[in-house]
Amino acid sequence: METEVLKIDDTSLARARELILGGELCAFPTETVYGLGALAYSDEAVEKIFEAKGRPSDNPLIVHVHKDYDVDKLVTVEYDYVYRLREAFLPGPLTMVYKSKGMVSPVATCGLGTVGIRIPSHEGAQAFLKAVDVPVAAPSANVSKHTSPVTARHVLEDLGGKIPLILDGGKCTGGIESTVLDVTTDTPVILRSGLVTADMIRKVAGKCRYSENKPTDEIRAPGMKYRHYCPKCETALFERKDFVRAQEYHDRAELQGRRVCFMCDEEMASLVRGKILSLGRTAEQIASNLYDKLHEAEEVADLVVAFAVDTGSDVDVGIMNRLSKACKKAADERE
Ligand code: TXA
Ligand code: MG
């Protein structure tokens, strides 16, 4: 199949509508990462997402709608704090997991009885969701386990030949996926951290906690048990205080003839010598650059030596969640 990459305009939106309503896939930009969308009501359409990505079938998908869509057609609101959270953060990078009314395909929800709803703030995402005017199930538009895509080119590299259309809305600015928040309990629970942080939620809802994800717990965000975000090159993650050891590790690999680079914030960059992929200074900059730099690393390096991030912001939790998973493969292989 040939994959078209089109800028977002009336013609490409009409094509996207035709595809989605016809049960086909379409990739689209959001403020976090690119999504791979399908009609959320259709089992067959949603199955195509799992096939294209090679995604495990027990990892549920988020459902996307435009800002004027009546979400309460799809879900039941059980707690008042939900209305305050909607008011404060939507449209934006916050996905809320509600009790489902059963309209969304069980293939998307993995039969959980709950469904995650996201209203993205990105202008192109809104234009796409308005054009189709149906709920769109969409995970990140990458092959399962690979680094999430933040440009149309990243999507094309992973899914070219497997999907008919990519809507190109430029580079995503948020950079890490939405916060996933379970709102089916009296205290909202963060299942995946992101740019809407626990502190921000607590200020509006009065309470919030992180999912503890104990091995004995029923897995509430099933996706969290899988390897994620890994670039195709080798990675090694170091604590900030271990920069001398990291430099030695870097130098040894370079002596062996390998292409090595550091990936870190500006502060750590000033402490090491070598090729550096800089993530920036603030937590927001680092989040925004993380996946883009992991993609760049694949092209320029065989080994990436990364440093933990510690800016003091609550957003660090989301960044470190991604970075440690992105580097997990190398750690497992070294063991
Ligand atoms: O920013 C984002 O959220 C992006 C863009 C495209 O919107 N989407 C995204 O989707 O990251 P995905 O499928 O890669 O991640 C969805 C996460 C997974 O960790 C999944 O397990 C969790 O949300 N999730 C989805 N539905 C759930 C449910 N009903 N209960 C618990 N967790 C759920
Ligand atoms: Mg993903």
Side-chain angles (χ1 to χ4, degrees), residues 53 55 139-142 146 148 177 192 228-229:
K53 283 185 57 103
R55 180 172 172 117
S140 50
N142 52 279
H146 188 216
S148 305
E177 294 86 349
R192 178 178 72 186
H228 262 107
Y229 317 119

Side-chain angles (χ1 to χ4, degrees), residues 1 7 14 60 84 89 118 133 182 186 199 223 242 310:
M1 159 184 333
K7 293 265 182 258
R84 300 201 298 278
F89 300 117
R118 167 148 149 71
D133 202 25
D182 185 339
D186 183 49
D199 271 354
D242 292 336
D310 183 11

